[in-house]
Amino acid sequence: MIHRERLRAGGAAELAQRLRPPPPASDLTASTAELIAAVRQSGDAALAEQARRFGSPSFTVERLVVPHDDLRAAGRALPLPLRAAILAAAEQVRAFAERIVPTDTEAVLPYGQRIVSRAVAVGAAGLYVPGGRAAYPSSLIMAAVPAQVAGVGRIAVLSPPGEDGSIATPVLGAASLLGIGEVYAAGGAGAIAALAYGTPTIAPVDVIAGPGNAWVQEAKRLVFGTVGIDGLAGPSEVLIIADASADPSAVAADLRAQAEHGDDSPAILATDAPSLLDAVARDLDGGVQAAGAITLVDCASMDEAVELAQAF
């Protein structure tokens, strides 16, 4: 869905307030705690029940473990351009991760104490890859490749099953290309609980990483202390400032890439060029429809566009 706004002088703060994502549900903590408790009590059965409740109506416990043959088949099924893109992205992430691996540090203090700080990889990492509205192999790449570079001994990937009970092929294919063999079809707060506390099928991990919706983030907050977490992420967003020289198709692609996360992830263009607004709108109308809302803001000047971005 595409919205148009006009930024009036002095109205940046008010418009930024209206463009903010909606607050999380008022019962978020309580409902997340219930999902976690169910997995702690009933293990795999609770994961299957939650999968049936949240979008995979015929899911059974037997579908939790993704067989190696399915991973290999997904890797072979990737269209060549997507396969090349996944490999290129992994190469980029790996190159940067290798440059930021912490090194051991040694210091001798004034009274002669010798202190060594060592960077040691965790034994097991659980990586959550969102699903539902779209497939996010990029999320897997950004979590798995640094773990591999760090030397993590075991990498377990969890991603929610779709309506047919299986994980999206691009995610499975990316796991295959990265050489990850431990993949489970489980999503939401229950998946986080499984990684933290373990089930008969899924062994617990030392740290959980990866993005997710409000329930996934709240689950990570609730299990922190039992396991480590990468952090708590709020809704993501993009606000693009562009002038008349911008490529409309590139701007539209950036907006779509953000809006696919849903209504709680704002995608905004602020520009002083009405011609760019029209061109971007045409591109958005003629291409793949975005899952969430996109807002195109007509600003009187680029200074106003910057003011809106700062307020937002």
Side-chain angles (χ1 to χ4, degrees):
M1 183 180 300
I2 303 172
H3 303 289
R4 289 220 187 199
E5 295 277 357
R6 180 170 302 216
L7 177 57
R8 304 181 185 279
E14 187 273 333
L15 178 57
Q17 182 74 14
R18 285 197 285 114
L19 293 176
R20 289 176 62 186
S26 59
D27 66 342
L28 176 64
T29 298
S31 60
T32 302
E34 288 178 6
L35 295 169
I36 292 173
V39 172
R40 294 191 72 176
Q41 179 176 347
S42 303
D44 296 339
L47 289 176
E49 186 279 326
Q50 290 173 21
R52 291 191 293 270
R53 196 194 323 175
F54 297 123
S56 188
S58 60
F59 195 85
T60 62
V61 169
E62 291 72 25
R63 302 293 301 274
L64 278 174
V65 179
V66 177
H68 289 180
D69 286 348
D70 289 1
L71 290 171
R72 287 190 287 268
R76 292 191 297 269
L78 291 175
L80 290 180
L82 178 56
R83 179 187 178 92
I86 289 172
L87 291 173
E91 181 183 14
Q92 299 266 59
V93 175
R94 192 176 304 279
F96 183 71
E98 288 172 345
R99 285 164 173 76
I100 62 170
V101 173
T103 57
D104 294 351
T105 301
E106 180 177 334
V108 178
L109 302 189
Y111 288 93
Q113 312 98 309
R114 175 176 169 269
I115 296 179
V116 178
S117 172
R118 289 201 178 100
V120 181
V122 297
L127 309 183
Y128 187 84
V129 179
R133 296 185 180 91
Y136 305 104
S138 56
S139 294
L140 175 57
I141 293 167
M142 289 186 284
V145 173
Q148 291 175 329
V149 170
V152 174
R154 170 185 163 232
I155 297 175
V157 173
L158 274 68
S159 189
E163 188 174 357
D164 65 352
S166 60
I167 297 173
T169 296
V171 173
L172 295 182
S176 177
L177 292 180
L178 293 174
I180 296 172
E182 187 179 349
V183 181
Y184 304 96
I192 301 302
L195 288 171
Y197 301 109
T199 74
T201 297
I202 303 172
V205 298
D206 301 308
V207 65
I208 299 172
N213 62 18
W215 284 267
V216 169
Q217 297 302 318
E218 181 65 7
K220 286 164 69 176
R221 188 183 72 84
L222 292 174
V223 302
F224 174 60
T226 298
V227 292
I229 61 172
D230 55 348
L232 298 173
S236 57
E237 75 283 323
V238 65
L239 192 153
I240 299 168
I241 301 174
D243 62 16
S245 69
D247 177 356
S249 63
V251 174
D254 269 349
L255 292 169
R256 270 198 202 93
Q258 182 59 44
E260 73 176 6
H261 294 85
D263 291 335
D264 63 347
S265 297
I268 303 162
L269 167 64
T271 180
D272 64 349
S275 60
L276 178 64
L277 286 178
D278 293 338
V280 170
R282 285 193 298 270
D283 191 297
L284 292 170
D285 284 334
V288 177
Q289 295 302 303
I294 294 174
T295 304
L296 308 179
V297 183
D298 183 4
C299 303
S301 67
M302 292 302 284
D303 285 343
E304 285 196 2
V306 173
E307 185 181 352
L308 173 63
Q310 290 175 329
F312 183 73

